[in-house]
Every structure is written in structure tokens, then in C-alpha cells.
Amino acid sequence: MSVTDGRPAPAQRKGPDPVPLRRNRDYLMLWSGAGLTLLGSRATSVAYPLLLIWSTGSAAAGAAAAVAAQLPQLLVQLPAGAFVDRWNRRRTMLVCSAGCAVSTASVVMAVAVGQVHLAHLAAASFAEGSLMVCHRLAERACVRQVVPAGQLTAALAGNEARGRAAGLLGQPLGSAAFAAARWSPFLLGSVAHLLSLLAVLCVRAPFGARTAAARRRLGPEIAEGVRWLWRRRFLRRITLLISGSNVIFQALALLPAFVLYEDGLSPATVGLIAAISGAGGAVGALGGGWATRRIGLVGLVRGALLAWALLVPALALTRSPLLLGALLAGMSLVGGAVNVAGGVHQVRTTPDALQGRVNSALQLVGSGANALGALTGGMLLDSLGAARTAALLGAAMGVLALAAALSALPRLLTSEEQQTCQEQQTCQEQQQEPVREQEGERTS
């Protein structure tokens, strides 16, 4: 199924120019609403384990809250995708934001009255994580309904940069708020979710109300999305390559903290490294649209895996926090561009009725093995040390880069996918022509 009904006719060029994203009210409201709820979720994600550790003195209790927040990534993804395709997506985001606000507000009340219990915090963390999964899938499916086809790449690049910025700001903001008052990060999260709800209420686009006529049992609906993804050999191959790199990055996640611990440096330095890395990811996301147009998804994936194969073992050559942060920033920069290109291809080629289910399957494949990567990384660091671990993981990344180079990825594209990409590229070029003409007139 193509995103557009056909190749745009030349006469369409004479119509009114599309509104730039910076003046597209619906897109800005959707973008800011999702950004606010992401920021609130990032702030509370760090606060749940901190609250339990400081209240009970048990690291295991803090870990339980962290695990409860991660469980929805494994348990809720696939059914959430089916529900997003069943329900009105605008209403889904509103309900999710309201539910997150209620969940975090309950923690504020519990802290205020001095009744902090593991079961309550674990349940609140799980509920917020589950609602965030649904909110993210619904928002992703709505993007192409509020922007013209030619602006889809720029819109998804903005979304990727927003996610990177939320991760960069949310956790430091949550930990700083916790230091000021233990209830404050949860109040911050609740207010952010309510502001997100108001932003989505301001969106005028209907987001395509779902019809109940074609609904079936949940299991067959989930299977339909998985089957669609499995039959797309190109998207399946790309997803598996990126999933393998995600496992390696999860194994690397503990390396900076391990190096700092061995060198006797302050744990706060981990935040500095994370900030440098996050800034690189944001820059990569902002440049993702440019890279997608000029290099394409295949070139980006092959280039990214090659760059990572060179940068990962370079971590073994330094113990400087600044250099470690710079290397990780380079990896994040490339990763941000790849995420934009992959997101553009998925949204363009997936039928609207399957957007939630296909995206949920991709998210499950991409994040399902993260726990295995983290566990492997910890075992390697304990047994081999930081330098040898970086070298070994770099070699594993090199294997992925070689596999991508030898794979005939363009040949795996179906004719339908090729046609859709060509139509979108043509549409995008036509929408950029007025801008180039105006620039030429100014130059004259």
C-alpha cells in the first residue's frame, strides 16, 4: 500500500506551497505534547529507584522499580500496537497522558503522607511505562497525518532530536528535583503529562478515527502486523542488523562507569559523559533528514556499522572522561541519523492501518535483547577489563559491518517499497523547488 495515491501530477506544483513545519500548528502541538510527556517520563524514571533506595536503604528495592519500568517494553509492545491500530489515536494519547498524570500524582501523595511502599511504586512505574509505550506508538502513527509527504523526513528528524533532548534533560532534571524534595520529580512528571494532554487537545487533525467493522481477536491482529514485517525482507534485514548493534551498545553502557570506578573518579562524571553523548545524538538526529536524502537508508546503515566498528575499539585506547564522551558522541551522532532514516522508511511503506502493530514489532525486536546485552557487558568487564571488552565488542560490530556490506540490501526491496520511496522523493523534491527558486531570486 502506497502512502500516496500516485505520482504527483506536474499541475500540483502550481498549488499553494505547503506550510513550513515551524508554522504547522498541528505538528508543533503534536511534537511538543509528545516531548513534554517524554520529559516527564525521563524525570520520574530516575526518581523511582532513588526514592526506594533513600526510603528503604535497599538497592534491590530500587532495582525492582527500575525493572518494573522496563517490563512494558517486553510485555506491552505487541498488544499496544494492536490497540493503537484499533482505537482513535488522538483519544489514545489523551487517555495515556491523563493516566500517567494520575499515576505520578499518586506517588506525590504517598511521599507527602510518608507512606512509601515498594508494591505501590512498582505498580506506578509499570503503569506509567505501559501508557508511555501506547502514547509513543500512537504519536508515531499520527505524524504523516499532520505533515505533507515531502516534509515527513524533516518531521521525523525533529521527533528523533526531541527524544534525544528529553533523555539528555529529563534524568538530570529528575535527580536534581529529587535532591531538592523527594516528591518534586513526580509532581514535575504529573504537570508535564497534563501539559502534554492540553497540547494534544489543541491539535485539529482528526488522526483518522478507527472503525470497529474490521476488528478481530487480539491475537490475529498482532500476528498480522508481525507477518507484514516478516514478509518485508529489506526491513527485516535492516532491523536485525540494528538490533545486533543495540545489543553491543547495551553491553558498552557500563564501560564508562567501570573505567571511572577503577580510576577513583567521581560518579558524577558519568553524567558529563552521558551529556556529551546525548548532544552528539541530538546533532545526528537534526542532520538525519539531510543524510537520508543524500545517502539513503542502505548507505547510512552500512556507513554507521563501519563507523561503529572503528569507534568502539577506540574506547580501549583512552581512560579520559572527555575522550570517552567524545567517542560515544560520535556513535550517537551516527545512530541519530540512522534512526531518522529507518523511521522514515517504516512510516512511508507501512499501511496506515498497520502502523501501530508494525512499529511495536520493530520496537520489540530492537529493545527485546537489551537486558541480554547489559548482562553480557557486565560479565565481560568483570572478567576481561575495559580495554579487552571494548576490543571484543568492536570485533563483534565489525562482523555486523561486514554482513551489511555483503548483503544485497537494495535487491530485497519490493517493487511496492521502491515505488513508494520514489513517489515520496519526487514529492519532496517538488516541495523544495519553490524554496530554491526564492533563494535564486534573492541571490540575483
Side-chain angles (χ1 to χ4, degrees):
M1 176 178 177
S2 175
V3 175
T4 59
D5 294 331
R7 194 177 299 277
Q12 290 178 334
R13 298 187 186 185
K14 298 181 181 179
D17 295 339
V19 177
L21 288 180
R22 64 181 181 275
R23 299 210 314 264
N24 185 330
R25 182 179 180 276
D26 283 346
Y27 171 73
L28 292 177
M29 289 294 102
L30 183 65
W31 185 90
S32 59
L36 285 167
T37 203
L38 278 172
L39 183 66
S41 177
R42 295 291 190 272
T44 56
S45 67
V46 71
Y48 280 114
L50 287 177
L51 179 58
L52 281 169
I53 292 173
W54 259 254
S55 299
T56 66
S58 170
V67 169
Q70 293 297 322
L71 278 178
Q73 300 294 329
L74 293 175
L75 303 181
V76 181
Q77 286 280 3
L78 291 181
F83 288 135
V84 164
D85 287 338
R86 280 185 176 190
W87 300 335
N88 179 285
R89 290 164 182 165
R90 181 173 184 269
R91 190 177 301 121
T92 298
M93 287 186 284
L94 294 174
V95 172
C96 289
S97 294
C100 288
V102 171
S103 177
T104 51
S106 72
V107 180
V108 175
M109 296 178 61
V111 176
V113 299
Q115 297 294 324
V116 177
H117 301 289
L118 172 59
H120 172 216
L121 292 189
S125 180
F126 181 83
E128 186 179 4
S130 300
L131 292 169
M132 283 300 301
V133 168
C134 294
H135 190 286
R136 184 180 65 251
L137 292 173
E139 187 262 345
R140 178 69 168 269
C142 291
V143 173
R144 74 179 192 182
Q145 297 179 359
V146 297
V147 300
Q151 295 178 347
L152 186 59
T153 299
L156 291 178
N159 288 2
E160 177 69 17
R162 175 200 61 198
R164 300 274 180 171
L168 181 63
L169 299 176
Q171 292 190 354
L173 187 61
S175 58
F178 181 84
R182 296 184 181 181
W183 48 265
S184 59
F186 303 100
L187 179 61
L188 174 67
S190 186
V191 171
H193 291 308
L194 288 175
L195 291 175
S196 172
L197 184 150
L198 292 176
V200 175
L201 278 175
C202 293
V203 179
R204 296 166 181 166
F207 290 158
R210 320 317 297 160
T211 59
R215 290 184 186 176
R216 296 168 296 176
R217 289 181 301 166
L218 188 62
E221 287 194 351
I222 293 174
E224 183 181 7
V226 174
R227 281 196 306 270
W228 188 94
L229 176 60
W230 182 256
R231 290 169 182 167
R232 266 61 186 179
R233 294 188 299 161
F234 174 81
L235 191 56
R236 188 180 73 206
R237 186 75 58 83
I238 291 290
T239 302
L240 290 175
L241 288 170
I242 297 301
S243 177
S245 69
N246 286 341
V247 173
I248 294 174
F249 282 127
Q250 286 299 316
L252 281 172
L254 292 175
L255 188 144
F258 188 82
V259 169
L260 297 177
Y261 172 77
E262 286 188 329
D263 292 349
L265 298 177
S266 169
T269 313
V270 175
L272 173 64
I273 295 176
I276 297 173
S277 175
V283 172
L286 291 173
W290 178 91
T292 301
R293 291 191 298 271
R294 285 160 178 78
I295 304 175
L297 179 56
V298 173
L300 275 174
V301 170
R302 287 174 172 170
L305 290 170
L306 178 60
W308 291 334
L310 297 174
L311 290 172
V312 170
L315 294 171
L317 304 178
T318 182
R319 301 182 76 87
S320 165
L322 290 177
L323 288 178
L324 287 172
L327 289 170
L328 292 171
M331 299 178 202
S332 297
L333 186 148
V334 177
V338 170
N339 285 347
V340 171
V344 169
H345 181 84
Q346 181 267 312
V347 172
R348 284 177 174 173
T349 58
T350 304
D352 184 69
L354 290 173
Q355 284 285 340
R357 283 168 284 176
V358 171
N359 194 22
S360 67
L362 289 171
Q363 294 291 332
L364 180 62
V365 173
S367 62
N370 283 356
L372 176 62
L375 178 62
T376 302
M379 295 173 63
L380 289 175
L381 286 169
D382 283 338
S383 59
L384 301 179
R388 292 181 179 178
T389 296
L392 180 61
L393 294 176
M397 193 71 79
V399 173
L400 289 178
L402 181 62
L406 296 178
S407 296
L409 291 174
R411 297 180 183 177
L412 301 180
L413 280 168
T414 65
S415 58
E416 184 181 18
E417 289 173 320
Q418 291 176 346
Q419 181 182 2
T420 299
C421 293
Q422 290 171 357
E423 289 171 351
Q424 297 298 330
Q425 183 66 25
T426 301
C427 182
Q428 187 174 10
E429 290 174 354
Q430 290 178 354
Q431 291 188 2
Q432 289 175 346
E433 283 183 5
V435 177
R436 289 194 292 265
E437 292 174 357
Q438 293 174 5
E439 291 177 349
E441 292 174 359
R442 288 196 296 267
T443 303
S444 300

